[in-house]
Amino acid sequence: MIDAWLLERLVCPVTRQPLRHDPAAEELVSDAAGVAYPIRDGVLVLLVEEARPLTSRD
């Protein structure tokens, strides 16, 4: 679980827009960039090259 205080301050490294947490997928989602950043073993991976493109069903 991501602390609410931290989540309010996190932004997408590409767009600088807020991220939303998807706990079911263990990802931080940037709707503005259309990508999702993984959370691996509790570590936020905010690297552009690690981001997954969002599909229409995400």
Side-chain angles (χ1 to χ4, degrees):
M1 190 65 164
I2 297 177
D3 182 68
W5 179 89
L6 178 61
L7 188 57
E8 288 176 9
R9 286 152 181 80
L10 289 173
V11 295
C12 173
V14 175
T15 65
R16 300 290 185 221
Q17 297 298 309
L19 296 168
R20 67 178 168 84
H21 182 222
D22 181 350
E26 293 189 20
E27 295 177 322
L28 291 174
V29 178
S30 172
D31 292 310
V35 297
Y37 298 95
I39 302 171
R40 295 187 185 132
D41 298 320
V43 177
L44 311 175
V45 182
L46 296 176
L47 299 172
V48 175
E49 56 271 9
E50 294 292 324
R52 172 183 72 78
L54 295 177
T55 63
S56 59
R57 61 187 177 136
D58 287 330

